Amino acid sequence: MKNRVNYIDNLRWITVSLLVLYHTAMAYNTWGEANYIFFEEVKPIASVVTFISPWFMPLMFLLAGVATSYSLRKRGFGTFLRERFVRLGIPLLLGVLVLTPILSFVADVTHNGYADGFFRHYGIFFTRFTDLTGYDGGFTMAHLWFLAVLILISVLSVGILRLGRVWASSGGKGAGNEFDQNERNRRGNRTKAILGILLSILAVATFDVRFGGKPLILFLCVFLLGYFVFSDHEFVDRMSRFKWIYVLAFLVFSITNVILFIYVKGYETLNTICNYAAFATAIPALISLGHDHLDFRNRFTAFNAKISYTFYILHFPILVLCQYVLWLTGVNHILGFLLTVIVSYPLTFGLCCAVDVVKRSVKHKAA
């Protein structure tokens, strides 16, 4: 159980780290998205976004579901939800008050020519409610929507799990002998297999079904898949035997998706199929790779796992500020991309270290 947490933790912080590359590349997209700052269309850089986008957020929710399965083995539903609201709700509130106004301000300056000060822009930020992206200088949760949706899904999943336990207990416990226990195990495995198939089908079917701009049903499905299916050590062991088949399929579909979306036009149906398939094959491929090659723990990986949520929260405003400074200096856009990635990683990591020191200091004083 401990070893499985190790590779899940490693997959999570590595995926979060990729977002620096992803969000930096958004400033060079080729599909007309304004972003908080935009330079020019650069197809090779935009390809980074297209390659990562089908799977990285579903993977984050799936990993959260696996982590929840371990968390609920140690604590009850009420304690779990209280911890969720504290761990995610407080950073969400502080982030909307302090961090996302930075993104909105940069967008207003670079897109609309806003010329007043940052603190004066707060009046615009908290009164301009449009599409909630913040690209026009208005209110936005920006990347922190993930925290809000994770809170929502945690609440929904607890309700679903409570209903499941009531349904399971209504079937009776049997006589308690070995035969009854084996039969219950077989029934449990069959139920889990059916549930996994149904959730997988529903996830793919709702891949482009959006509420508030986000595929909420997809995220709930992969969260529950993580909880019920990918937290099963034996299932992941069996799945990993076919690791290279998944990896090959994932690479083929993902690269084809990039080619059709960025470089070749006129194949929308095939592009859509490849986009869906990239998502569907990425999950088993990346979980299998993690299971076989990331099942370890040292001081570096443990610390990165510890600060993964903090890194997620801080990385976006830091890299956008880097891009804003480079925009002011008129640096070549390609060089700007490289400099943003090179500078943003250590800056974000260093600030995460500082936040961790403050947290430990506060806990020490409280103790």
Side-chain angles (χ1 to χ4, degrees):
M1 194 178 299
K2 181 179 177 181
N3 289 338
R4 294 200 63 244
V5 171
N6 289 339
Y7 83 81
I8 293 298
D9 283 347
N10 288 334
L11 277 173
R12 182 169 58 245
W13 73 258
I14 291 172
T15 304
V16 168
S17 298
L18 282 176
L19 291 179
V20 172
L21 189 64
Y22 176 92
H23 282 132
T24 301
M26 277 297 298
Y28 305 85
N29 73 81
T30 60
W31 45 91
E33 186 169 345
N35 198 43
Y36 298 101
I37 188 169
F38 183 80
F39 295 115
E40 62 178 342
E41 293 187 1
V42 181
K43 289 183 178 180
I45 298 178
S47 298
V48 173
V49 178
T50 306
F51 185 88
I52 295 174
S53 60
W55 52 266
F56 80 93
M57 288 313 302
L59 179 62
M60 289 288 290
F61 280 102
L62 184 136
L63 295 175
V66 176
T68 297
S69 72
Y70 288 102
S71 179
L72 287 177
R73 294 174 192 179
K74 298 183 294 183
R75 54 182 62 83
F77 289 130
T79 303
F80 168 74
L81 286 179
R82 283 194 296 272
E83 289 182 353
R84 279 295 190 190
F85 278 105
V86 171
R87 188 182 181 191
L88 302 178
I90 294 176
L92 173 62
L93 178 62
L94 292 176
V96 169
L97 291 174
V98 178
L99 298 179
T100 59
I102 297 173
L103 301 173
S104 180
F105 169 76
V106 171
D108 217 1
V109 171
T110 59
H111 293 318
N112 305 322
Y114 178 80
D116 216 334
F118 170 72
F119 291 104
R120 285 186 177 273
H121 193 266
Y122 267 84
I124 297 174
F125 180 79
F126 286 108
T127 56
R128 182 184 294 171
F129 291 86
T130 52
D131 60 3
L132 301 182
T133 64
Y135 295 166
D136 61 354
F139 179 84
T140 181
M141 287 194 292
H143 61 302
L144 301 184
W145 66 264
F146 171 67
L147 303 183
V149 173
L150 191 52
I151 292 173
L152 173 63
I153 286 179
S154 297
V155 173
L156 291 175
S157 64
V158 164
I160 293 171
L161 294 173
R162 280 183 177 275
L163 290 174
R165 289 189 180 182
V166 170
W167 175 78
S169 62
S170 66
K173 296 184 178 180
N177 56 41
E178 183 178 353
F179 174 79
D180 292 327
Q181 183 62 48
N182 290 337
E183 179 61 24
R184 285 197 297 273
N185 289 339
R186 285 193 291 270
R187 289 179 180 178
N189 290 334
R190 286 196 297 268
T191 301
K192 186 181 294 184
I194 294 171
L195 183 62
I197 292 171
L198 292 176
L199 286 172
S200 299
I201 293 172
L202 184 59
V204 174
T206 59
F207 187 75
D208 277 331
V209 177
R210 297 176 183 271
F211 299 91
K214 307 300 178 185
L216 299 184
I217 299 176
L218 163 66
F219 292 152
L220 177 60
C221 287
V222 293
F223 182 93
L224 293 174
L225 275 171
Y227 183 92
F228 287 110
V229 179
F230 286 87
S231 62
D232 186 329
H233 187 64
E234 293 183 1
F235 169 79
V236 178
D237 278 341
R238 292 193 299 270
M239 184 184 71
S240 297
R241 298 170 190 170
F242 307 97
K243 170 181 60 182
W244 296 117
I245 296 176
Y246 299 134
V247 170
L248 178 61
F250 163 56
L251 291 176
V252 168
F253 286 123
S254 296
I255 293 171
T256 305
N257 180 48
V258 169
I259 293 172
L260 294 177
F261 187 73
I262 300 293
Y263 298 96
V264 180
K265 303 297 182 180
Y267 297 91
E268 286 78 11
T269 301
L270 181 59
N271 189 187
T272 300
I273 292 172
C274 289
N275 193 38
Y276 281 44
F279 150 68
T281 55
I283 298 298
L286 296 173
I287 293 293
S288 297
L289 286 173
H291 175 270
D292 288 354
H293 303 288
L294 296 175
D295 194 9
F296 59 86
R297 189 178 186 88
N298 54 44
R299 292 181 64 182
F300 177 77
T301 62
F303 184 72
N304 275 280
K306 179 182 178 182
I307 66 170
S308 59
Y309 278 113
T310 306
F311 193 100
Y312 180 89
I313 292 167
L314 295 177
H315 83 280
F316 207 0
I318 288 175
L319 73 85
V320 168
L321 282 175
C322 287
Q323 291 179 318
Y324 179 57
V325 171
L326 293 170
W327 177 77
L328 291 174
T329 58
V331 171
N332 174 274
H333 294 334
I334 306 302
L335 178 60
F337 171 76
L338 296 175
L339 287 175
T340 300
V341 173
I342 292 171
V343 172
S344 295
Y345 270 111
L347 276 180
T348 306
F349 187 82
L351 192 54
C352 287
C353 292
V355 171
D356 184 65
V357 169
V358 172
K359 285 182 177 179
R360 287 191 283 112
S361 176
V362 170
K363 287 183 179 179
H364 179 71
K365 290 180 180 179

